[in-house]
Amino acid sequence: MTDPIQQVVTILKQAQRLAVLTGAGVSKESGVPTFRDALEGLWARYDPQQLATPDAFQRNPKLVWDWYEYRRQMVRMAEPNPGHYALAALESYFPEMVVITQNVDDLHEQAGSSDVIHLHGNIAQSKCFANCQGVPTLIDVAELDTDETPPKCPHCGAYVRPDVVWFGEILPEDALLRAYHISEQADVMLVIGTSGMVTPAANLPEVAQYNGAPVIEVNPDTSMITRIASVKLDGPSGVMLPRLLEALRNDD
Ligand code: OAD
């Protein structure tokens, strides 16, 4: 049987428009924990109902704020890994390549990816809980002269919260609409490091496949995406994506 990397090269060589969907797995080798890893995943150690819902924030704003501060610091210290860099370098092979990410870090951008859609927000940013000046009302916390945790919105006095999507909330509309559009138009979709358990992001590979694009998965484990993948690169993205890039270069 042909080497899976070679199979992917053959598929990618025919593609003009590449859509990429990434999840927490792509940042794992940068030291940012995933959510559903049985031992080290965030949701194995913390209860999302206590930390990642609007109700949880209203019940205990300080607890939620402090937990996100802890995660912010982890993300601030993280650097892109070889998977992020290889993905950014893949751009030169396609007239159009868009990364749709569920991640709230900016490691794709740091690595040089030029078109990244953030479906679940940006952990480095904060916004007014009431979005009093429009959706989202971003607040620069560094500019607020306060020690309160969480700080208060300077416009309306509501609590400031992280600019991330919590369970039970709708995704940013522009990002989601564009993600659907890119998935529908794609010639190929590459799905990297996601369990495929959280919709609507998890529906995008099916949207791409329904519109004729083969789905290629990069994941060391089986996921909800595996059953629809035409080819799977079975391994960490920090290893498999540089290998794929090298194979593409050698095929030139
Ligand atoms: P999960 O934690 O659910 O899944 C991570 C996936 O990455 C798993 O399938 C792992 O097998 C895979 N993985 C682990 N190490 C990897 C590596 N080195 N390279 C590639 N893959 C690896 O994370 P997501 O699917 O991103 O939502 O989770 C989706 C959403 O659930 C998150 O965005 C978050 C969470 O609740 C919000 O915060 C709104």
Side-chain angles (χ1 to χ4, degrees):
M1 225 173 65
T2 329
D3 167 31
I5 296 242
Q6 240 10 85
Q7 289 181 40
V8 177
V9 169
T10 306
I11 295 172
L12 291 183
K13 282 272 163 185
Q14 294 159 22
Q16 303 288 310
R17 283 181 290 213
L18 176 65
V20 182
L21 174 67
T22 68
V26 78
S27 294
K28 185 170 173 181
E29 288 152 276
S30 295
V32 182
T34 65
F35 294 92
R36 293 179 182 77
D37 186 277
L39 291 177
E40 296 159 8
L42 289 173
W43 297 155
R45 293 182 288 147
Y46 303 97
D47 177 1
Q49 292 308 320
Q50 305 296 325
L51 295 165
T53 71
D55 281 354
F57 185 69
Q58 278 174 310
R59 267 197 312 272
N60 197 339
K62 181 166 167 32
L63 175 80
V64 173
W65 181 264
D66 286 347
W67 190 68
Y68 276 91
E69 271 303 304
Y70 153 73
R71 284 185 52 205
R72 267 182 185 150
Q73 273 164 26
M74 244 172 358
V75 165
R76 225 176 271 143
M77 280 160 38
E79 289 178 3
N81 67 58
H84 292 109
Y85 286 115
L87 204 55
L90 269 189
E91 275 188 15
S92 64
Y93 289 85
F94 305 94
E96 184 185 301
M97 172 175 155
V98 180
V99 177
I100 304 164
T101 189
Q102 299 165 83
N103 297 345
V104 294
D105 63 50
D106 66 348
L107 295 175
H108 287 306
E109 288 93 335
Q110 283 191 44
S113 285
S114 62
D115 195 351
V116 185
I117 301 174
H118 281 270
L119 289 178
H120 291 167
N122 176 345
I123 198 168
Q125 295 182 166
S126 301
K127 64 184 179 186
C128 167
F129 186 74
N131 272 334
C132 66
Q133 310 289 305
V135 181
T137 299
L138 295 179
I139 309 285
D140 186 349
V141 174
E143 285 200 341
L144 299 179
D145 188 19
T146 174
D147 292 333
E148 283 180 308
T149 49
K152 302 258 177 60
C153 171
H155 307 291
C156 72
Y159 281 124
V160 173
R161 56 164 282 182
D163 181 26
V164 298
V165 175
W166 282 331
F167 287 101
E169 292 188 312
I170 52 169
L171 275 58
E173 194 184 349
D174 291 355
L176 186 59
L177 284 177
R178 184 156 181 251
Y180 270 108
H181 179 72
I182 294 294
S183 304
E184 281 163 7
Q185 301 289 315
D187 297 324
V188 179
M189 179 175 266
L190 192 55
V191 183
I192 308 165
T194 180
S195 60
M197 295 191 42
V198 176
T199 58
N203 296 332
L204 296 174
E206 278 183 5
V207 169
Q209 194 188 46
Y210 180 80
N211 287 280
V215 171
I216 297 164
E217 184 177 33
V218 181
N219 198 314
D221 289 315
T222 300
S223 77
M224 300 295 281
I225 308 301
T226 308
R227 70 189 161 79
I228 66 162
S230 303
V231 190
K232 176 150 187 279
L233 302 183
D234 237 320
S237 45
V239 174
M240 302 317 280
L241 291 174
R243 275 192 203 160
L244 176 59
L245 182 65
E246 199 190 325
L248 263 175
R249 280 182 179 145
N250 291 339
D251 204 76
D252 266 350

